[in-house]
Amino acid sequence: MNHKNVFYPLNFNKPHLTGKETEYIIHAVSSGHISGNGAFTKKCHTFFEERYGFNKCLLTTSCTDALEMSAILINIKPDDEIIMPSFTFVSTALAFVRQGAKIVFADSCKDQPNMDETEVEKLITQRTKAIVVVHYAGVACNMDYFIELSQKYNLWLIEDAAQAIDSFYVNQTGQKLPLGSMGHLACFSFHETKNIQCGEGGMLVINHETFKKRAEIIWEKGTNRAAFWRGEVDKYGWVDTGSSFLPSDLLAAFLFAQLEKIDVIQQKRKTIWNLYYEKLKNLEKKEYIKLPVLPEYATNNAHMFYFICKCDMQRQELINFLKNQGIWAVFHYQSLHKSNFYEDKYKGKQLPYCDFYSNSLLRLPFYYDLSNEDINQIVNKIHDFFLKSH
Ligand SMILES: *Cc1c(COP(=O)(O)O)cnc(C)c1O
């Protein structure tokens, strides 16, 4: 195909379909159970519990919901503080703010956007209740350090693993542990921009025994309905706070079709990631950009491809340049401590590395159906931009 004379938009994301999604939705419809916690929901739970050894899983309608469930489960009281990175999606903070917590933002690392563990201990006070780590781009945070810190100060450790499906952390003893298995609670996203998706979806992983019973109740509108269905109680009723956090089994059916193909999806995404990396290396050598850095304890699940530009202005010029060629590159996140919503509430110090990534990180189109031809086209345009304008 000749791309030269046609407007050929390369979107930033394009949700991939494995082919079985509608078939499984039809199964769910004809089974007569299309509300939550049906057969496909259970299949998804079992998939995760068996493949990753997660203690207990509950599908939710989003990762935001899973984070909200976490905030309810840890019993936040007024003035409780939660430590988390400022370089993250709004939901990480919003879920805890809604329960009345004060957010204490930590800076990113110098060489990569994850929260800098060496900045965290000095932020702990009498009121600190939990640390929320975010595995940005599916790259693990330094979990040995965070586990130790949470034990030392008796804090809850929560993983925002929204981007981290099928990614791992290699611990001090060389064990390869799945992200989402190390925090007391962990939250995943199946939003259409994630590796495995069902449009809107998420999951809470409960790794700590204390939360197991109560999580199920909060999930089902504050009732003990799940225990009732298992025959553990003879009637169900209102026993706690909660909401309707469980997704319809139609969504679980869609999700299960994706999960069955997780290895194929991951393989393809890693190939795309490596191709980008190889083809952009020479621009890093010439010091135009910086490519992602992976700590030795982290694996790459090819959630996204990003690189670091010199500055805000250069990034905007590149975005405009690519947009004119029909290529959508995007940036995120804007430092949460400087957001309209949180700026006046923020009393902490400057977070220069977070601001740096806010101003310089650029994400390239990244999805399963991106062809080699597409990648070549994108990379060639990026080369044109740097090599012809410098
Ligand atoms: C996508 C994402 C979320 C939100 O996920 P939803 O399923 O859309 O609610 C939260 N945190 C991070 C780090 C994310 O990337």
Side-chain angles (χ1 to χ4, degrees):
M1 189 177 163
N2 177 9
H3 298 300
K4 277 205 182 105
N5 302 315
V6 279
F7 183 65
Y8 181 69
L10 277 162
N11 277 340
F12 166 67
N13 180 56
K14 187 175 154 212
H16 169 66
L17 297 177
T18 66
K20 285 273 180 82
E21 286 84 354
T22 41
E23 184 186 323
Y24 288 175
I25 288 173
I26 291 166
H27 270 294
V29 171
S30 43
S31 80
H33 185 125
I34 55 176
S35 59
N37 205 7
F40 280 104
T41 299
K42 292 189 174 89
K43 274 178 193 281
C44 292
H45 289 170
T46 306
F47 176 91
F48 282 106
E49 288 162 8
E50 284 178 356
R51 184 175 168 113
Y52 301 111
F54 295 153
N55 192 325
K56 183 177 174 65
C57 299
L58 292 173
L59 289 190
T60 55
T61 46
S62 63
C63 180
T64 307
D65 269 0
L67 288 159
E68 284 188 15
M69 285 183 71
S70 306
I72 296 171
L73 279 165
I74 64 169
N75 270 329
I76 289 168
K77 306 215 168 43
D79 293 332
D80 278 352
E81 296 173 357
I82 311 288
I83 298 172
M84 67 177 66
S86 178
F87 191 76
T88 181
F89 188 59
V90 174
S91 301
T92 319
L94 180 62
F96 294 90
V97 167
R98 263 167 64 84
Q99 288 303 117
K102 184 182 150 202
I103 309 298
V104 177
F105 288 112
D107 207 358
S108 295
C109 297
K110 184 178 177 197
D111 60 343
Q112 47 115 351
N114 273 342
M115 182 158 68
D116 181 353
E117 63 274 12
T118 64
E119 288 291 311
V120 172
E121 189 165 12
K122 54 189 148 194
L123 299 175
I124 295 173
T125 70
Q126 290 296 325
R127 290 192 289 271
T128 308
K129 187 99 189 210
I131 299 171
V132 182
V133 297
V134 180
H135 304 298
Y136 181 75
V139 173
C141 293
N142 186 344
M143 292 310 286
D144 280 314
Y145 184 89
F146 283 115
I147 290 167
E148 228 178 278
L149 203 60
S150 77
Q151 286 167 351
K152 181 173 168 192
Y153 291 94
N154 199 20
L155 305 173
W156 296 119
L157 182 61
I158 299 169
E159 297 177 72
D160 179 338
Q163 306 176 1
I165 192 168
D166 210 54
S167 201
F168 297 83
Y169 172 75
V170 183
N171 75 3
Q172 279 157 355
T173 58
Q175 268 178 302
K176 209 170 154 188
L177 302 168
L179 303 190
S181 69
M182 291 164 278
H184 300 109
L185 296 162
C187 305
F188 285 90
S189 174
F190 309 119
H191 184 263
E192 73 164 39
T193 51
K194 305 301 201 276
N195 294 31
I196 297 290
Q197 57 92 22
C198 62
E200 300 276 357
M203 180 172 71
L204 178 69
V205 175
I206 301 115
N207 294 313
H208 196 275
E209 213 54 41
T210 325
F211 296 127
K212 260 173 108 169
K213 271 228 164 75
R214 193 163 174 239
E216 217 172 49
I217 290 167
I218 290 166
W219 190 55
E220 281 254 39
K221 302 114 183 150
T223 72
N224 54 356
R225 183 152 66 178
F228 172 73
W229 286 124
R230 284 196 300 266
E232 293 164 16
V233 290
D234 56 11
K235 60 179 187 308
Y236 81 86
W238 187 9
V239 294
D240 202 333
T241 186
S243 190
S244 188
F245 286 117
L246 68 177
S248 155
D249 223 45
L250 298 180
L251 280 175
F254 189 113
L255 183 65
F256 190 66
Q258 298 254 317
L259 290 174
E260 283 187 326
K261 289 283 190 269
I262 188 168
D263 290 322
V264 180
I265 292 172
Q266 287 301 96
Q267 189 58 48
K268 177 79 189 290
R269 292 183 73 103
K270 283 176 194 171
T271 306
I272 296 172
W273 200 97
N274 290 332
L275 217 56
Y276 265 138
Y277 192 88
E278 285 307 313
K279 288 173 183 285
L280 290 168
K281 253 180 169 168
N282 66 325
L283 291 179
E284 182 172 56
K285 245 189 229 135
K286 293 195 165 99
E287 296 186 357
Y288 290 126
I289 60 171
K290 274 210 180 99
L291 293 173
V293 174
L294 225 62
E296 83 271 7
Y297 51 69
T299 66
N300 178 15
N301 72 343
H303 171 59
M304 68 167 86
F305 194 91
Y306 73 83
F307 60 76
I308 309 296
C309 300
K310 280 247 158 66
C311 61
D312 209 352
M313 210 173 74
Q314 187 199 49
R315 179 176 69 179
Q316 198 50 54
E317 283 170 12
L318 177 55
I319 288 174
N320 295 343
F321 178 85
L322 293 173
K323 197 176 262 170
N324 286 334
Q325 326 278 336
I327 297 165
W328 288 21
V330 301
F331 63 82
H332 76 170
Y333 298 112
Q334 295 303 287
S335 301
L336 290 183
H337 69 291
K338 290 190 168 171
S339 62
N340 281 342
F341 184 70
Y342 219 80
E343 200 175 17
D344 355 326
K345 302 175 190 69
Y346 184 67
K347 302 282 184 284
K349 59 181 183 97
Q350 300 272 318
L351 307 174
Y353 291 115
C354 173
D355 292 341
F356 170 70
Y357 292 111
S358 261
N359 291 330
S360 62
L361 186 143
L362 184 74
R363 298 176 65 183
L364 297 181
F366 199 94
Y367 48 87
Y368 182 96
D369 295 295
L370 209 56
S371 68
N372 284 358
E373 223 180 355
D374 295 335
I375 296 167
N376 282 333
Q377 193 199 350
I378 294 164
V379 168
N380 288 342
K381 296 299 175 199
I382 296 170
H383 278 110
D384 284 354
F385 175 82
F386 285 107
L387 302 174
K388 288 186 182 160
S389 67
H390 290 85

